[in-house]
Amino acid sequence: MMLPLKENDRPIVKKLLEAGCCARCVLRFCFLEVQSAYRQPYEDTAKELLAFINDEETNVTKDSAVQDQLTKDPPSKKIKLDTAKTDVQAEGDSALVPTVTEEGGARLVKSDVCVVCLGVLQEFCDEAYATKVCFFPFHYYNLYLFYSFSPLLCYVQFIITTLSYLKISKGDWLHYDQGIQYQSKVWTHLLIQGRPCCFAFLDCSEKSLILWLNSFEGAHAPNFVLLPFLLFFFRKFPCPPTRPASKCVAQDVQCLHVSVFVAGRYNKFSRTLPQTPWVIDGERRMESSVEELIAAPLLSSFRAKGFNFSSSGREDVDVRTLGNGRPFALELLNPHRARFNKAEIRQLQETINQSSDKIRVRDLQIVNAMGHMKEGEEDKTKSYSALIWTQKAIDKDDITFLEETKELKLAQKTPLRVLHRRPLTVRERVIHTMSTRFLDAHHFHLVLRTQAGTYIKEFVHGDFGRTKPNLCDLLKTDTDILELDVESVDVDWPPPVPE
Amino acid sequence: LALTLSSCSFTSNRRTQTRVYIKGKNCEDQCVLQHSNRICVITLAESHPILQNGNTIKSINYQISAGCSRLQNKVSGKSKRGGQFLTELAPLCRITCTEGVEYTIYSCIRGRLLEVNEGILERPELLLEKPSTEGYIAVILPKLEESKTVTNGLLSREEYENILSKRTSSTQQGPKTEPEPC
């Protein structure tokens, strides 16, 4: 293919090749974002670059230094590949001279290690290498290899970029800006603690001090405190960097699959099961938990390393979740197997349900993301049923007025039982409807439909009067809650799965 | 249903709470209810003079010094930044009864003040009618590392009742030349 390089790029390409950049790094510094340019074999890119710089009306002679970098012809040189070293020789004073051995035959060799990427974009992008990576115990359908550079390599790249741009296009502020911006995130973060500002650049060969502005966040005044550091820096890290003696060696390959999300709804039938593991001071206070019971069979079938559990609200240990259940989503981390058909998922759901009578799962499905579980949490409603105790003796007529009470507005201060981990604030919540069923002189059943986020227990006993109004006020007696069940969580997600 | 319940509003909560007592000068006893999440509620003990003899409350003042009012206490965020840090003898408020006697209510424990009860400012009778619940004085959050020790040395219910019975028996023994210390 024809690389979409511009006239402006020609001197930059030349300069970068002289400095020791590989073909693909050159493309990067020219801000070439066309993927196909990188995908084509390295040799093709190298050839095209060479053709590009030679294709000048005025300049017909081939620059031998540049030629050497790309073709090794003449003379042919082949840098001995030393597998022991992997660091960049960046110390200007103690530069190592690469060992070369003469070998006959002029051929295109890509064994010159790039000063910027240390071979990462040369050999490690080969199909051969990718094939090697593929032999891992994963089920996959597409494989993308992404390369990211360590901060040290970013420094090196920064040096190269700035050198090339300054030497070539001194008056072109736009280029400088782009050049800085390309690396500025690392640069500014590491040096200026997040405040981008003016940079000083010491041009090593011309011994002049050049300042330019980084318009990353608008122009700023020069920061003269920075200059001594930069001078020191550029003494230590020369431009261009010394050629590395050897390329990087891959010491380890770790594969990571994107997370898979499994969603569903769960019921909790036990009053002694927490939703998440209850551990205090390293000691487990209660056996098992909802999330562990759901995750266990999934972790083993998906061969995942871990999980994150998330649900639309939570219930206390002593509260049951009845009805359709509470929506949840489980993020399975680095699963080695990610595709399951509907029948297999149904089987997984069955396995979970067979494993314990304390929970039940329905509508289990693989989803694309966490869904809208948490969104609009305050718009949703939830229904509860509670067993109420009253200190004063009551009769049927004393509680009927509750059925007529609609849209009761509450002001709830953060309950004392959660105040250690939640901010102190007042929450306004609404109880939409209530209905009652008289049991005896000191007990009745109360069913409530409330706004999501309402603390039911505190509405019943008043929490030291910090929830107003509360049931004690309404009934004019001390009341307490003996049992609480969640009857429904009115969230539409995840979509139901027909049995 | 086995129902051994008192009117304490915490019974529904399956976590444990501990109630401890502080013997004060002149029977000005106070009570600390510590929740299992370490939050403490400061209240008057039933033997406190304010709660005796059909008193009525003239005023409750959270301004404990020229520069410090407990009403100005503002906490923010989960870590409750900004709350005034209290030591055991830090005053929480001063309560004046109709006969003109002023009582100082103390923190009794070390910790960060989260809130004082503004409800009793509006309705002082709450303090008299429900001193252990709606008539609480303040909510304090002890430091995490001190959460277990903050009630050390304070009296259990048993010890408190012992002291109460000693007081009654000593007054029953008749007047002495000097009043018995409470």
Side-chain angles (χ1 to χ4, degrees), chain A residues 249-410:
Chain A
V249 170
Q251 296 188 311
D252 183 30
V253 175
Q254 291 173 340
C255 289
L256 194 68
H257 197 292
V258 294
S259 294
V260 168
F261 293 88
V262 177
R265 300 178 87 104
Y266 73 83
N267 287 105
K268 179 161 95 82
F269 301 122
S270 159
R271 292 196 190 279
T272 55
L273 186 70
Q275 196 206 49
T276 53
W278 193 344
V279 177
I280 298 183
D281 299 331
E283 223 184 274
R284 186 180 274 267
R285 288 298 162 95
M286 266 200 168
E287 240 186 74
S288 193
S289 61
V290 172
E291 69 170 38
E292 285 167 304
L293 288 174
I294 297 177
L298 296 178
L299 278 178
S300 66
S301 314
F302 281 76
R303 299 209 297 273
K305 293 302 170 212
F307 67 91
N308 286 327
F309 181 88
S310 171
S311 66
S312 174
R314 291 159 53 153
E315 62 282 311
D316 289 340
V317 174
D318 55 352
V319 175
R320 298 186 304 177
T321 308
L322 310 175
N324 262 351
R326 186 183 295 279
F328 71 88
L330 201 69
E331 179 188 1
L332 292 157
L333 304 171
N334 199 12
H336 284 56
R337 183 188 162 188
R339 294 211 180 174
F340 288 78
N341 61 37
K342 288 202 167 72
E344 291 166 323
I345 295 287
R346 245 193 314 252
Q347 179 56 49
L348 273 175
Q349 181 176 291
E350 206 33 55
T351 309
I352 298 175
N353 291 335
Q354 299 286 343
S355 70
S356 166
D357 56 1
K358 295 186 178 184
I359 59 158
R360 195 203 149 181
V361 165
R362 72 176 75 211
D363 300 335
L364 196 68
Q365 55 197 268
I366 294 182
V367 293
N368 286 330
M370 287 297 209
H372 305 296
M373 248 182 346
K374 306 276 193 194
E375 265 180 30
E377 250 183 345
E378 283 167 24
D379 304 334
K380 301 300 178 186
T381 64
K382 300 192 174 153
S383 305
Y384 301 88
S385 78
L387 176 60
I388 309 293
W389 168 86
T390 61
Q391 191 193 29
K392 184 178 81 175
I394 52 161
D395 63 37
K396 282 196 190 40
D397 303 322
D398 292 327
I399 55 175
T400 46
F401 75 95
L402 292 172
E403 315 244 340
E404 316 302 319
T405 313
K406 305 283 176 215
E407 307 303 312
L408 179 65
K409 286 208 182 71
L410 307 179

Side-chain angles (χ1 to χ4, degrees), chain B residues 9-180:
Chain B
S9 61
F10 269 143
T11 47
S12 62
N13 204 317
R14 301 279 192 251
R15 298 183 180 180
T16 53
Q17 298 99 40
T18 18
R19 193 183 281 277
V20 290
Y21 294 82
I22 299 93
K23 179 166 99 75
K25 262 188 338 205
N26 304 324
C27 308
E28 291 174 37
D29 308 322
Q30 287 182 228
C31 184
V32 175
L33 184 66
Q34 184 177 34
H35 196 267
S36 63
N37 66 6
R38 90 180 192 269
I39 298 251
C40 292
V41 182
I42 313 298
T43 70
L44 301 182
E46 57 240 45
S47 49
H48 198 288
I50 294 177
L51 304 177
Q52 313 303 320
N53 311 321
N55 275 334
T56 45
I57 295 182
K58 194 166 146 205
S59 71
I60 300 178
N61 192 358
Y62 282 113
Q63 183 93 35
I64 51 153
S65 72
C68 180
S69 163
R70 298 303 180 199
L71 289 176
Q72 284 161 359
N73 193 64
K74 284 266 178 299
V75 293
S76 63
K78 271 190 213 171
S79 49
K80 321 295 185 296
R81 271 185 317 260
Q84 297 162 4
F85 193 83
L86 306 173
T87 54
E88 295 87 329
L89 294 176
L92 289 172
C93 64
R94 301 194 206 281
I95 301 180
T96 314
C97 295
T98 37
E99 335 93 50
V101 183
E102 191 192 70
Y103 301 94
T104 303
I105 314 299
Y106 298 98
S107 167
C108 303
I109 55 165
R110 282 167 53 88
R112 200 183 283 274
L113 179 65
L114 297 187
E115 66 179 51
V116 290
N117 191 350
E118 296 187 30
I120 55 177
L121 287 181
E122 297 161 29
R123 290 190 55 220
E125 52 273 22
L126 268 182
L127 180 55
L128 301 172
E129 290 162 21
K130 296 186 174 176
S132 302
T133 56
E134 275 187 73
Y136 72 97
I137 306 292
V139 178
I140 296 180
L141 178 69
K143 284 193 197 183
L144 184 56
E145 53 271 23
E146 291 178 13
S147 51
K148 301 227 165 77
T149 55
V150 78
T151 52
N152 280 357
L154 303 182
L155 307 167
S156 67
R157 176 83 202 174
E158 230 183 272
E159 292 165 333
Y160 171 64
E161 285 180 352
N162 273 342
I163 292 186
L164 286 188
S165 57
K166 284 202 194 116
R167 284 182 195 162
T168 4
S169 63
S170 72
T171 50
Q172 279 166 359
Q173 278 164 23
K176 299 203 164 180
T177 45
E178 255 183 30
E180 279 283 341

